[in-house]
Amino acid sequence: MRYNLFDNKSVRWKIAFLLCLVSGLNCLDRNAFAILATTIQEDLNWSDADYANITAVFVFSYTLMYALSGRIIDKIGTKKGFAIFAGGWSLVSMMHAFAGSIIQFSIVRFFLGITESGNFPGGVKASTEWFPLKERALAIGIFNAGTAIGAALAVPIVSFLAIYFGWRAAFLATGLLGFIWLFFWIRYYHLPKDHPKITEEERSYILQDENIKEDKQIETPVKLKQLLSKKETWGCFSARIFIDPVTYFLLFWIPKYLQDVQGLSLSELGVTAWLPYTAMGIGTILGGILPRHLINSYDWSLNKARKMVMVIASLIIPTLCFLLFSGVNTIAAIACISGIMLAHGLWANITIPSEIYPKSVQATITGLGGTLGGITSVVSQKMIGATIGTHSYLPVFIYIGIAYLVSLICVQVLVGKLGVIRNFNK
């Protein structure tokens, strides 16, 4: 049974659209402070060190809470859990408008990190609930594309609001968008077996991978010790540990690279910097479309289709990293970076748990992996700053070229076959 990707009658694609929107809003609320940093510093007379300390508070609480948020969502359910976290970060985002000191901003950033940590565990779990195995990479890719879309749109939206209405109004407006999304989430999200608008045909299609044994396992709680004892879990974690630092570099350092190395002015950056982030968003969606096409058109297994795309992405990235430092001009450099970010999206490292573990542990695995990836990312951010300051960007891109190949080997050795749900009851 097949469905048109853009079939308006398919409820699951509307769920995917909701997830893409919330991921974009999550990134928009997170990045608003960075976009408004200079304006706020001038208004409140902060130093760069003050700003750095406030951002460190967010990273700390976000990384710490990532593991707990996943466990919470698995325990109370996706609908209620996502509503609590999304409503929480939208409220905290609006509270930025009323902060006026370093301590007050540190407090709201601390709580923003806590509440925003529920986004990826919730989104991955919702995707596994609403999509069969062969479509999960695409569903999670659409969800994850919201991050790139949010990053691309944050600058013009937040800047416009701040210029015409003031920086405090910008926080109020971006936070309010979250509550609009929350209304539709509460009204529309149900599990496939309970959704009032789903057809029996689509329900059967979504649940095609489940059998009596898997249904029983989904209802049986899985202890954290059981998860951590499996090598597959550490295979999932390895993909986060090695690749998440690259994600943070691509999000936070590429504009600076384009200015420092390629010599772009601020106005030129505004015209071109959206291209790599758009490419990353396209890559996350293609990372699901291509395996789905290989499965449907050539009868490939999910394991073969997904790993073929991962291999291609893992080879494209070091090739483009090499070309980037072979004396290319600025236009070619932007094209290379866009290609790297597109291939980064193709790899789809956060999708792996959904392809090997039951739905009941999706948020937990995603949260724990995010915490470990966050820890290595915090360390790597300091190393990147030191490396760029004393050497150049070359060592950073050498690591990027290697990271995906190392992760692929770890997945092959530790995870093994994708598309086979592991049984914890054995």
Side-chain angles (χ1 to χ4, degrees):
M1 186 186 304
R2 298 181 186 179
Y3 280 88
N4 187 322
L5 181 61
F6 302 104
D7 183 0
N8 291 328
K9 295 181 180 179
S10 295
V11 176
R12 68 190 188 283
W13 297 116
K14 296 174 183 176
I15 297 294
F17 178 69
L18 271 178
L19 294 174
C20 181
L21 283 179
V22 76
S23 188
L25 292 173
N26 181 272
C27 188
L28 176 64
D29 287 346
R30 183 189 313 179
N31 287 7
F33 185 54
I35 296 166
L36 299 172
T38 301
T39 302
I40 296 174
Q41 280 182 267
E42 293 175 353
D43 190 21
L44 302 181
N45 196 28
W46 290 351
S47 66
D48 288 337
D50 294 329
Y51 172 70
N53 289 334
I54 294 172
T55 58
V57 170
F58 170 85
V59 174
F60 171 77
S61 64
Y62 184 82
T63 300
L64 184 67
M65 188 63 183
Y66 214 144
L68 296 177
S69 64
R71 201 66 174 169
I72 290 170
I73 291 173
D74 274 335
K75 187 175 182 61
I76 68 176
T78 312
K79 182 174 184 175
K80 184 186 296 184
F82 224 145
I84 291 172
F85 281 103
W89 84 58
S90 299
L91 177 61
V92 174
S93 180
M94 297 178 74
M95 288 173 63
H96 284 64
F98 305 99
S101 67
I102 294 173
I103 293 177
Q104 290 172 345
F105 266 96
S106 296
I107 291 172
V108 293
R109 294 305 286 183
F110 178 84
F111 283 104
L112 187 70
I114 287 178
T115 50
E116 286 209 339
S117 67
N119 180 60
F120 282 101
V124 171
K125 186 174 179 66
S127 298
T128 63
E129 290 173 342
W130 267 93
F131 288 84
L133 275 168
K134 66 181 180 180
E135 289 185 345
R136 285 180 191 170
L138 175 56
I140 295 174
I142 292 172
F143 159 67
N144 198 22
T147 300
I149 295 170
L153 295 179
V155 176
I157 291 175
V158 174
S159 298
F160 172 83
L161 291 170
I163 289 171
Y164 288 97
F165 303 102
W167 64 264
R168 296 184 186 276
F171 284 118
L172 289 173
T174 53
L176 180 61
L177 291 174
F179 285 105
I180 296 174
W181 176 88
L182 187 59
F183 169 81
F184 288 100
W185 174 259
I186 293 174
R187 183 181 178 87
Y188 198 74
Y189 191 87
H190 307 274
L191 292 175
K193 63 184 181 67
D194 301 321
H195 203 289
K197 295 187 178 180
I198 192 174
T199 63
E200 285 301 324
E201 185 181 21
E202 186 179 15
R203 182 182 287 111
S204 298
Y205 179 76
I206 292 169
L207 303 177
Q208 65 182 274
D209 304 303
E210 298 182 6
N211 54 41
I212 296 175
K213 182 184 293 185
E214 288 170 346
D215 287 340
K216 183 178 179 181
Q217 180 173 311
I218 288 171
E219 296 172 359
T220 304
V222 178
K223 295 181 179 180
L224 186 60
K225 184 178 179 180
Q226 287 178 281
L227 283 174
L228 297 180
S229 68
K230 286 189 171 287
K231 63 182 178 64
E232 290 92 341
T233 298
W234 293 97
C236 295
F237 289 167
S238 67
R240 301 298 300 269
I241 289 169
F242 290 113
I243 294 179
D244 277 13
V246 180
T247 303
Y248 281 97
F249 172 79
L250 296 176
L251 289 174
F252 298 152
W253 289 87
I254 288 301
K256 185 173 175 58
Y257 166 82
L258 292 174
Q259 289 181 299
D260 293 348
V261 177
Q262 298 301 327
L264 295 185
S265 65
L266 185 59
S267 60
E268 291 171 332
L269 187 69
V271 173
T272 59
W274 62 272
L275 290 169
Y277 295 107
T278 301
M280 184 164 67
I282 293 172
T284 60
I285 297 175
L286 287 177
I289 289 178
L290 293 178
R292 184 176 184 267
H293 173 71
L294 293 172
I295 292 169
N296 288 338
S297 299
Y298 301 99
D299 201 28
W300 283 20
S301 67
L302 185 145
N303 182 65
K304 182 178 179 181
R306 278 278 285 127
K307 286 182 179 175
M308 176 59 71
V309 174
M310 292 161 73
V311 167
I312 292 172
S314 298
L315 295 176
I316 289 175
I317 290 171
T319 302
L320 293 176
C321 287
F322 174 78
L323 291 176
L324 190 62
F325 285 86
S326 62
V328 297
N329 60 31
T330 300
I331 294 176
I334 294 172
C336 286
I337 292 171
S338 298
I340 291 169
M341 293 177 75
L342 186 144
H344 170 83
L346 283 176
W347 214 94
N349 65 326
I350 69 170
T351 304
I352 297 170
S354 72
E355 297 166 326
I356 64 170
Y357 280 145
K359 300 172 184 178
S360 58
V361 298
Q362 288 304 313
T364 298
I365 290 290
T366 302
L368 287 171
T371 292
L372 294 174
I375 291 171
T376 56
S377 298
V378 170
V379 174
S380 70
Q381 287 294 302
K382 293 183 178 293
M383 294 177 64
I384 289 169
T387 300
I388 292 172
T390 57
H391 299 285
S392 67
Y393 282 86
L394 179 59
V396 179
F397 279 96
I398 290 175
Y399 172 80
I400 291 173
I402 297 172
Y404 299 84
L405 291 168
V406 172
S407 296
L408 183 60
I409 293 172
C410 290
V411 169
Q412 181 64 28
V413 173
L414 297 174
V415 175
K417 192 172 183 179
L418 301 177
V420 177
I421 303 300
R422 275 53 171 180
N423 189 350
F424 286 94
N425 296 322
K426 289 183 177 180

